[in-house]
Amino acid sequence: MAREFTSVGVVGLGTMGAGIVEVFARNGIDVVAVEISAAAVERGRATLTGSTDRAVAKGKLAEADRDALLARVDWQVGLDALHSVDLVIEAVPEHLDLKQRIFAELDRVCKPEAILATNTSSLSVTEISVATTRPNQVIGIHFFNPAPVMKLVEVVRTVVTSADVVADVEALCERLGKVDVTISDRAGFIANALLFGYLNHAVSMFESRYATREDIDAAMKLGCGLPMGPLALMDLIGLDTAYEILDTMYRRGGRDRRHAPVPLIKQMVTAGLLGRKSGRGFYTYERPGSPVVVPDEHTPVTTGGALADGARAIAKVGIVGSGTMATGIIEVFAKAGYEVISVTRGAEKSAKVCEAVKTSLNKGVVRGKLSEEDRDAALGRVTWSATLDHLADVDLVVEAVVEELSVKKALFASLDEICKPGVVLATTTSSLPVIDVAMATQRPADVIGLHFFNPAPIMPLVEIVQTIRTSAETGATARAVCAALGKTGVVCGDRSGFIVNALLFPYLNDAVKMLEASYSTADDIDYAMKLGCGYPMGPFELLDVVGLDVSLAIQRELYLELREPGFAPAPLLEHLVTAGYLGRKSGRGFRDHTKR
């Protein structure tokens, strides 16, 4: 039988601590809420009152339940008030010496059987536990912010934590309505170990001016379905907190350079640009603590018209290719009112592409997203061809053929001979260097990357990839075309992975390395990222959908270009691909899909 927790103590009543108080009080458990001073206690009380009042206003909490919840909380100054509680959770700032002093004092104050827990997100629970005479009763209980909403709790056991203590805490998490993942004491645990490498990489992109803050954030929200972009998330977490977590992970986690805080983070912290809480971080906010972003000197200025910034007029578009991506792009341009010439290798492939476009458009009609007239008009704008010569008078060519550099270079050399001067030549490559394709022509200034995401008719993002030879006019034209298609175009340089894949796949690779090290299970890692970070899919779910062979190829490209040891493909990923376990398409990847 798990022990019954009738009263708990919470030390530290900032945003996280007050949220933890609310979680316990909502579930009928008496809470002793402790701070260092009366003023700090009042701030914690105000945070809890504000949160519960908002819940009442939204109809998520009855007034009587709110009053009962608040009545369960005993607000106190000083640790001596915790002498009779069954469990204490510490939620003070992430400084090891501070936590050790508090745990030494809790060891003295609390009854012998009390469990002492830390909410640390990155520090060593083991190092905290040795400040007590009862390290076997010390455990990590890592809630995620906001604690009343987020379902995940990481339960962190040390090598000496009693199995009974772990079991009791797991049962408590279930009583609180949380999903717990139990792990050992390693830097960053699951969620932060995977999240902060990604966040740090995003900051390095911004620091090097590879892409704007708006484009980096839009890319990850629209391309991956994430609830927030990485730079906006850094502002929410707090740059000072992020710096401490990264620094701790770097020192404790094998000194992986990808966890070494990007210099810009320390500079911003020193300058007081801490994110939302200070009113300014990567973005500027209405006031300290406000989530409302206001324009500042870095906010992009939108031009009046589509052609105001030097874009060329585009009326007729050629699309080369016969795969899923080419089919989707034909539909996108045709529905947007462009005259389209579809070129494939042979009449048979043209007929298949035509049928696929018709089928997709008909589905739009059935679902009420497209009228029959609009469907017929879109189909009427498409000319089906099996020869590149029909592209002689188009204004834009979009290439969507197989991802082989030699094939693309040969195609662009042919387009260079056939197309009229001034035509924008675009490649949809997701991983190859655009400059290599551009230099197969005599007009590299007119070549650009337009990386659509699959399925193109649905996904709102297009990465606009400019090489060092791409002209400003070509870039402006690409941006105007994306806007006319109703897509969000994000501009970046010609580097492996562009924005989305460069940030996404190292994170997926890190998850594989975590599984390979037997630190956690695929299920728990997926739970951690979905429930702790709000990701639509866990990393192993996503890898199986994308295809392990595709993922490995992209990771290899990133590693070859950046030569960063942390980007080396996980051996487990390579072994699974060699074994033919490629994910859903082969029936087996990280999970067995044949039994579903």
Side-chain angles (χ1 to χ4, degrees):
M1 285 287 292
R3 80 171 77 187
E4 183 68 22
F5 294 95
T6 58
S7 65
V8 302
V10 178
V11 180
L13 304 177
T15 303
M16 181 56 78
I20 294 170
V21 169
E22 182 175 340
V23 168
F24 282 104
R26 268 180 181 262
N27 286 277
I29 299 173
D30 292 335
V31 183
V32 180
V34 172
E35 257 292 1
I36 196 169
S37 67
V41 166
E42 286 309 308
R43 285 194 295 272
R45 191 199 304 264
T47 300
L48 178 60
T49 302
S51 176
T52 52
D53 285 350
R54 285 192 297 274
V56 169
K58 292 176 181 175
K60 295 182 177 180
L61 190 67
E63 288 190 28
D65 290 338
R66 173 199 58 194
D67 295 343
L69 184 162
L70 296 174
R72 292 187 192 104
V73 184
D74 179 15
W75 305 92
Q76 295 288 340
V77 175
L79 298 178
D80 286 339
L82 301 170
H83 57 87
S84 62
V85 299
D86 304 312
L87 164 73
V88 179
I89 298 183
E90 160 275 310
V92 304
E94 289 283 273
H95 300 295
L96 181 61
D97 56 345
L98 172 62
K99 291 180 187 283
Q100 287 177 326
R101 287 199 304 274
I102 287 172
F103 271 73
E105 187 65 11
L106 290 173
D107 188 36
R108 182 189 65 80
V109 167
C110 295
K111 58 188 182 184
E113 64 272 24
I115 294 174
L116 308 181
T118 173
N119 184 58
T120 183
S121 60
S122 61
L123 297 174
S124 167
V125 179
T126 305
E127 289 185 50
I128 293 169
S129 74
V130 296
T132 75
T133 60
R134 55 176 109 177
N136 60 315
Q137 288 169 238
V138 177
I139 195 167
I141 305 180
H142 179 216
F143 288 84
F144 286 73
N145 193 27
V149 176
M150 300 299 280
K151 297 288 286 184
L152 181 73
V153 175
E154 289 178 320
V155 177
V156 187
R157 59 171 181 258
T158 73
V159 291
V160 296
T161 304
S162 162
D164 288 344
V165 168
V166 174
D168 291 342
V169 169
E170 288 173 336
L172 175 62
C173 289
E174 186 175 354
R175 177 182 170 186
L176 297 175
K178 301 295 186 183
V179 175
D180 70 273
V181 294
T182 301
I183 46 181
S184 56
D185 185 20
R186 195 178 96 170
F189 313 136
I190 296 175
N192 281 355
L194 296 180
L195 176 66
F196 276 86
Y198 151 73
L199 295 178
N200 203 39
H201 190 184
V203 176
S204 73
M205 274 189 180
F206 176 70
E207 182 186 50
S208 66
R209 301 185 181 181
Y210 177 66
T212 67
R213 61 189 182 182
E214 288 85 2
D215 282 357
I216 292 169
D217 280 355
M220 299 313 291
K221 285 168 64 182
L222 301 178
C224 299
L226 303 187
M228 295 183 77
L231 302 180
L233 181 55
M234 287 283 283
D235 277 358
L236 175 63
I237 292 168
L239 271 70
D240 50 344
T241 302
Y243 180 85
E244 291 295 336
I245 291 172
L246 281 165
D247 188 52
T248 300
M249 285 172 55
Y250 175 71
R251 287 184 286 104
R252 286 187 59 214
R255 299 190 176 268
D256 184 340
R257 277 173 48 199
R258 293 193 314 109
H259 292 144
V262 172
L264 178 62
I265 301 174
K266 183 63 178 292
Q267 293 164 19
M268 292 176 73
V269 170
T270 303
L273 306 177
L274 307 182
R276 283 192 193 181
K277 59 187 171 187
S278 69
R280 181 135 189 202
F282 289 102
Y283 295 91
T284 300
Y285 299 87
E286 198 173 43
R287 61 183 180 278
S290 170
V292 179
V293 175
V294 296
D296 58 21
E297 66 272 22
H298 300 298
T299 302
V301 178
T302 54
T303 53
L307 303 181
D309 52 4
R312 301 170 193 165
I314 303 292
K316 187 182 289 190
V317 180
I319 297 167
V320 184
S322 57
T324 304
M325 185 57 75
T327 303
I329 295 171
I330 291 166
E331 181 181 338
V332 167
F333 275 95
K335 285 198 296 191
Y338 289 95
E339 187 180 342
V340 177
I341 298 176
S342 163
V343 179
T344 63
R345 295 174 64 184
E348 187 178 337
K349 287 194 173 181
S350 271
K352 284 184 178 179
V353 173
C354 178
E355 196 57 38
V357 172
K358 284 180 181 176
T359 300
S360 181
L361 290 170
N362 285 332
K363 285 180 182 175
V365 173
V366 170
R367 291 170 182 163
K369 295 182 177 180
L370 194 68
S371 69
E372 290 187 11
E373 293 79 6
D374 288 342
R375 174 200 62 194
D376 295 342
L379 281 171
R381 295 187 192 105
V382 185
T383 302
W384 309 98
S385 170
T387 174
L388 292 174
D389 290 336
H390 288 154
L391 301 177
D393 66 341
V394 300
D395 307 308
L396 164 68
V397 178
V398 180
E399 163 275 308
V401 300
V402 66
E403 279 285 274
E404 289 182 19
L405 188 57
S406 60
V407 175
K408 290 183 188 288
K409 288 173 73 172
L411 172 60
F412 271 72
S414 297
L415 293 173
D416 190 31
E417 293 179 5
I418 294 166
C419 295
K420 65 187 181 184
V423 174
V424 173
L425 304 178
T427 172
T428 61
T429 182
S430 62
S431 58
L432 298 173
V434 178
I435 189 63
D436 283 3
V437 177
M439 295 310 291
T441 75
Q442 300 300 311
R443 52 173 104 182
D446 295 331
V447 178
I448 198 163
L450 285 179
H451 178 216
F452 288 80
F453 286 72
N454 196 24
I458 295 172
M459 295 296 281
L461 183 71
V462 178
E463 289 178 317
I464 300 170
V465 187
Q466 300 186 151
T467 77
I468 55 174
R469 294 290 296 271
T470 303
S471 71
E473 189 181 14
T474 300
T477 304
R479 292 194 298 276
V481 166
C482 288
L485 295 175
K487 303 291 187 184
T488 298
V490 296
V491 180
C492 61
D494 183 23
R495 277 193 346 211
S496 185
F498 311 138
I499 298 174
V500 174
N501 285 353
L503 292 177
L504 174 64
F505 282 88
Y507 146 75
L508 297 176
N509 195 50
D510 285 347
V512 179
K513 290 178 180 177
M514 186 177 280
L515 178 67
E516 189 173 44
S518 301
Y519 179 63
S520 190
T521 66
D523 285 346
D524 278 357
I525 293 170
D526 278 356
Y527 283 138
M529 298 315 293
K530 288 196 291 185
L531 301 177
C533 300
Y535 282 25
M537 299 178 80
F540 297 105
E541 286 179 275
L542 184 54
L543 281 160
D544 276 1
V545 168
V546 170
L548 275 63
D549 51 342
V550 174
S551 303
L552 177 60
I554 292 171
Q555 193 61 36
R556 280 175 172 163
E557 287 290 332
L558 290 169
Y559 179 54
L560 282 171
E561 179 165 285
L562 300 173
R563 307 298 174 98
E564 176 64 60
F567 283 169
L572 175 60
L573 183 61
E574 295 185 314
H575 294 165
L576 288 169
V577 171
T578 302
Y581 291 174
L582 308 183
R584 285 184 180 271
K585 60 188 173 187
S586 70
R588 178 84 182 262
F590 286 99
R591 294 186 175 90
D592 187 347
H593 300 280
T594 59
K595 299 175 182 177
R596 301 186 180 199

